[in-house]
Amino acid sequence: MSNDIKFAITGVPTTPSSNGAAPLRRELRDLQVNYPEQFNLYLLGLRDFQGLDEAKLASYYQVAGIHGMPFKPWGGVPSDTDWSKPGSSGFGGYCTHSSILFITWHRPYLALYEQALYASVQAVANKFPVEGGLRAKYVAAAKEFRAPYFDWASQPPKGTLAFPESLSARTIQVVDVDGKTKAINNPLNRFTFHPVNPSPGDFSAAWSRYPSTVRYPNRQTGASRDERIAPILANELASLRNNVSLLLLSYKDFDAFSYNRWDPNTNPGDFGSLEDVHNEIHDRTGGNGHMSSLEVSAFDPLFWLHHINVDRLWSIWQDLNPNSFMSPRPAPYSTFVAQEGESQSKDTPLEPFWDRSTANFWTSEQVKDSTTFGYAYPETQKWKYSSVQEYQTAIKKSVTALYGSNVFANFVDNVADRTPALMKLQATGEESKSAVSAAAAHAVELSGAKKVAAKVHDVFQQAEEKVQKPVVPVEETKAEPSTPEGMITRSGRKRDSELTTSTGPIPEKLKYLAPDGKYTDWIVNVRAQKHGLGQSFRVIVFLGEFNPDPETWDHEFNCVGRVSVLGRSAETQCGKCRKDNANGLIVSGTVPLTSALLQDIVGGELQSLKPEDVIPHLRANLKWKVALFNGEEYNLEEVPDLKVSVASTEVTIDEEGLPHYSRQYTVYPEITEGKPCGHGPEDQI
């Protein structure tokens, strides 16, 4: 098929329901446990999709290549780059990162992927034997199939890893089209190029060395090391959950919520964004492999599960904030749709994605509702509710069930699961000496630093002496979190559609920290030039001592969180990225801090969340480092425009345990002044 042929993006063909109902995109682990036929078809269909001729327009290779390399026009959509200009390196790609179009551009892109995958799923279903009703069973399952997502911010089901085995295993069991159960190469684990460069120079030398996509590649052999991902995700899960909860329940402006470009007028409470959290997952799961480079990330099968989850979080936020959408902004740089200075808005064409007519491109306004492409999510089944208020209440319950209701309940949930001693403390209030020692040993395993181990030992030792009753009674708040219909709980068991939150109000033993339900919430804000280092890097935030070896930072007990910056070199073929580089594009991100402060309060190192206590504590203990995606430390004072600041806002928790943010932020230069790249009183926020 020629790349000059226009390709209509329709999503999965869907007959509209009278009440607006649409098939659901489900969480990966839910699909595997509760919809085994669809999960089996997903694996077989993805294998079929990945095996299509790379020259075909709707092949996995071609669809993935829209995102970056090989930087070739797709679907009859030429480059806006003027190839005749001296120094032009040809096609500049369709990149929209750090753009107001970031999340909206990816929606028709994901619809294209789902459309092509669905076609393979249907083809596979019809290959099963007729005998025994096997074909009929799989054809029926295939009709409702939608591409799943991986919810990296929710607590994993009990007894499982933070990174599912279905993604990390090299082989996986399926019922194949011959009706026999067998092990196949896992299409969720990697994509194997056939070949790597179907046309000479499709990939740079750095990526041409890999016959398959890799994660955390060994520096010498290039072998993928997927086993490194789960502990890294688990170590920063508290920060990730708090960040997602903060975005969904606190942010009210689409522009602030959606993308990470910083400008001098950015509010201290708007440094975070969905794009910022999205970047962290590319970093945590890629480890200098394909997922951590935007130019090749779409070739990793994980990319699609990740971005469908990003799309889901946007759907949830949008339905909580239906009156907020992108405001027109002058394009700061030339992109694939507009020249510098032209207006970018909800009506800007989302190239190269032709609508159903193939006469026009989809626009952000047209794709605002996911049902346009024939799908919804477990949390966005709006047709089940009689009013907008009832629907939004249900969404908030879903959010709190998955990510926690407030920082105090989240702290007990997140930190308890991370440290066995505190888990026992929450359930019984009786902490044994042996369990304390086990917790300290666990901290050694996480951090490799004796000082951190001693600190954790003290935390649980003091908690043992202070607490005589349960911090969180099991029967009241530690029941398994209920989830939207069709989802699985932490134990892996399916629950009914009755939604209740396991977190609820402030745990009794922590109420003194929020008199009348009010407390001060703390965050760390980071900004830096996106392409200033000519490569990707991360800013890692610590609260307390840590091992100086950067190889350990991902596992440090005192690692609070990170801001990942997906930068590229000045030689990149991405036209927008070269322009961003030349203009010194600055991006920003946020690391939630309050949960880490609560841990220090439980440990007796801090008295309260009030500024008079927190300011000196952070001045003494807050630290940050910069590491490249290859794991090497980088001198943070050489990172262009890097600035780290601390801010706080007042929060009120209602009777149901839901937080209400004042959105009035105070910045504290006295905490960061004089530290390398720390914000000072004369610095711009």
Side-chain angles (χ1 to χ4, degrees):
M1 184 180 290
S2 170
N3 279 351
D4 293 331
I5 297 177
K6 294 181 179 180
F7 192 96
I9 312 302
T10 62
V12 175
T14 306
T15 302
S17 171
S18 59
N19 65 350
L24 302 184
R25 287 178 174 175
R26 301 184 184 277
E27 211 279 336
L28 175 67
R29 291 159 290 193
D30 173 41
L31 191 73
Q32 184 175 10
V33 171
N34 297 311
Y35 303 88
E37 288 83 14
Q38 286 193 2
F39 182 73
N40 192 68
L41 286 171
Y42 175 42
L43 296 173
L44 296 178
L46 186 57
R47 180 181 65 172
D48 179 82
F49 183 26
Q50 291 178 356
L52 294 179
D53 185 344
E54 292 180 348
K56 291 185 176 181
L57 194 62
S59 67
Y60 186 92
Y61 179 86
Q62 291 270 343
V63 172
I66 292 172
H67 199 259
M69 289 182 182
F71 292 109
K72 292 182 177 180
W74 185 89
V77 184
S79 169
D80 288 334
T81 304
D82 185 351
W83 293 9
S84 65
K85 289 184 178 180
S88 173
S89 61
F91 185 64
Y94 304 104
C95 175
T96 64
H97 298 89
S98 300
S99 160
I100 198 170
L101 304 176
F102 165 65
I103 54 177
T104 58
W105 182 88
H106 281 82
R107 178 160 284 176
Y109 187 34
L110 296 170
L112 167 61
Y113 163 81
E114 188 170 51
Q115 181 178 337
L117 174 61
Y118 183 83
S120 284
V121 166
Q122 303 310 304
V124 165
N126 280 284
K127 291 181 180 179
F128 278 89
V130 175
E131 296 78 9
L134 203 57
R135 180 180 296 178
K137 180 175 72 171
Y138 279 106
V139 167
K143 288 181 180 179
E144 292 294 296
F145 173 82
R146 294 296 184 273
Y149 60 91
F150 167 40
D151 186 3
W152 24 255
S154 64
Q155 292 278 13
K158 187 176 181 180
T160 67
L161 298 174
F163 192 63
E165 186 179 358
S166 60
L167 296 174
S168 62
R170 300 286 293 176
T171 61
I172 195 165
Q173 292 285 117
V174 298
V175 177
D176 211 340
V177 293
D178 58 4
K180 297 178 180 179
T181 299
K182 62 185 70 170
I184 64 169
N185 289 328
N186 186 359
L188 291 175
N189 177 256
R190 62 197 179 279
F191 168 65
T192 299
F193 298 92
H194 48 97
V196 175
N197 287 306
S199 299
D202 275 4
F203 287 89
S204 64
W207 296 110
S208 293
R209 65 178 291 214
Y210 298 110
S212 300
T213 56
V214 292
R215 303 164 189 161
Y216 285 87
N218 181 287
R219 294 187 190 182
Q220 281 71 45
T221 67
S224 192
R225 297 181 294 170
D226 292 65
E227 68 277 1
R228 298 196 60 179
I229 301 174
I232 290 172
L233 285 177
N235 195 44
E236 297 178 46
L237 183 60
S239 173
L240 196 55
R241 294 185 76 212
N242 288 335
N243 229 341
V244 169
S245 180
L246 181 72
L247 284 168
L248 295 179
L249 299 178
S250 169
Y251 282 55
K252 303 300 180 184
D253 177 75
F254 176 89
D255 296 1
F257 166 81
S258 63
Y259 77 117
N260 68 353
R261 180 177 176 268
W262 174 90
D263 68 55
N265 298 316
T266 298
N267 184 292
D270 293 336
F271 270 58
S273 66
L274 184 56
E275 184 174 12
D276 171 43
V277 175
H278 146 275
N279 290 351
E280 292 181 30
I281 301 304
H282 274 283
D283 175 12
R284 289 172 179 164
T285 60
N288 216 37
H290 288 76
M291 264 297 283
S292 57
S293 172
L294 294 180
E295 295 179 328
V296 294
S297 58
F299 291 97
D300 188 324
L302 176 60
F303 172 93
W304 306 100
L305 291 137
H306 165 45
H307 267 275
I308 291 175
N309 193 46
V310 171
D311 183 83
R312 164 180 161 269
L313 294 175
W314 169 32
S315 292
I316 291 171
W317 183 92
Q318 193 67 71
D319 283 357
L320 286 174
N321 302 274
N323 297 322
S324 179
F325 200 47
M326 64 175 65
S327 55
R329 289 173 176 262
Y333 319 112
S334 295
T335 71
F336 67 100
V337 293
Q339 297 298 314
E340 183 175 349
E342 291 181 352
S343 178
Q344 286 185 321
S345 71
K346 62 184 181 180
D347 300 316
T348 298
L350 301 176
E351 297 182 39
F353 307 122
W354 297 104
D355 65 13
R356 292 182 177 89
S357 71
T358 67
N360 301 292
F361 296 107
W362 287 104
T363 67
S364 298
E365 177 67 21
Q366 292 172 327
V367 304
K368 188 178 179 182
D369 192 321
S370 71
T371 58
T372 299
F373 291 119
Y375 68 89
Y377 293 103
E379 301 85 0
T380 62
Q381 300 177 68
K382 63 184 71 176
W383 56 87
K384 290 187 171 184
Y385 304 94
S386 59
S387 68
V388 172
Q389 182 178 359
E390 182 185 358
Y391 172 47
Q392 291 182 339
T393 298
I395 292 178
K396 290 178 181 178
K397 287 183 178 180
S398 298
V399 170
T400 58
L402 290 168
Y403 310 117
S405 57
N406 61 72
V407 70
F408 301 100
N410 289 5
F411 167 72
V412 172
D413 199 20
N414 293 333
V415 181
D417 278 356
R418 181 179 167 190
T419 50
L422 193 54
M423 180 183 291
K424 180 175 278 189
L425 173 66
Q426 95 179 51
T428 67
E430 299 174 0
E431 191 57 58
S432 68
K433 301 291 184 182
S434 60
V436 171
S437 299
H442 180 60
V444 173
E445 179 183 351
L446 285 172
S447 67
K450 292 183 178 180
K451 289 184 179 180
V452 177
K455 171 185 174 181
V456 175
H457 182 281
D458 290 343
V459 167
F460 297 126
Q461 185 70 49
Q462 292 175 33
E464 174 191 2
E465 296 169 356
K466 289 182 178 182
V467 181
Q468 302 300 321
K469 296 180 180 180
V471 173
V472 184
V474 176
E475 67 274 13
E476 292 181 14
T477 60
K478 281 307 293 180
E480 296 168 17
S482 64
T483 55
E485 183 178 5
M487 295 289 287
I488 53 175
T489 66
R490 288 166 60 188
S491 68
R493 293 195 299 272
K494 190 174 180 180
R495 297 176 66 98
D496 59 27
S497 58
E498 189 70 24
L499 288 175
T500 57
T501 174
S502 66
T503 45
I506 305 171
E508 189 66 34
K509 289 293 182 179
L510 299 178
K511 280 186 176 179
Y512 76 96
L513 295 172
D516 299 321
K518 300 179 185 293
Y519 75 97
T520 304
D521 191 65
W522 297 83
I523 58 175
V524 174
N525 284 329
V526 176
R527 61 175 171 88
Q529 264 194 45
K530 182 173 182 177
H531 304 292
L533 301 188
Q535 59 185 307
S536 296
F537 62 96
R538 62 183 72 104
V539 181
I540 303 181
V541 178
F542 303 93
L543 188 59
E545 298 300 321
F546 59 93
N547 193 316
D549 180 4
E551 288 290 333
T552 70
W553 291 350
D554 285 331
H555 305 278
E556 283 287 338
F557 188 85
N558 284 336
C559 172
V560 177
R562 72 179 68 190
V563 171
S564 302
V565 181
L566 304 182
R568 306 190 198 185
S569 71
E571 288 72 39
T572 177
Q573 287 179 267
C574 170
K576 180 181 184 299
C577 301
R578 290 198 305 271
K579 192 73 174 179
D580 291 347
N581 196 349
N583 285 274
L585 172 72
I586 297 177
V587 295
S588 64
T590 290
V591 176
L593 201 53
T594 308
S595 184
L597 293 173
L598 287 175
Q599 190 162 320
D600 286 351
I601 290 173
V602 170
E605 300 180 20
L606 180 64
Q607 294 302 307
S608 75
L609 293 173
K610 296 177 181 178
E612 57 265 33
D613 293 323
V614 173
I615 290 173
H617 184 71
L618 292 181
R619 178 68 191 174
N621 296 288
L622 186 67
K623 303 174 177 68
W624 51 88
K625 287 286 187 179
V626 170
L628 304 177
F629 276 19
N630 65 8
E632 296 176 358
E633 181 178 3
Y634 194 91
N635 185 347
L636 54 87
E637 294 187 273
E638 295 180 4
V639 179
D641 292 313
L642 175 62
K643 195 65 66 176
V644 179
S645 59
V646 174
S648 74
T649 190
E650 298 305 307
V651 181
T652 301
I653 299 175
D654 65 22
E655 292 181 356
E656 293 185 353
L658 291 174
H660 300 271
Y661 295 82
S662 72
R663 298 291 297 164
Q664 300 298 314
Y665 279 82
T666 302
V667 179
Y668 300 91
E670 60 268 40
I671 293 175
T672 51
E673 181 182 13
K675 295 185 177 184
C677 301
H679 172 78
E682 304 301 321
D683 291 329
Q684 193 172 42
I685 298 298

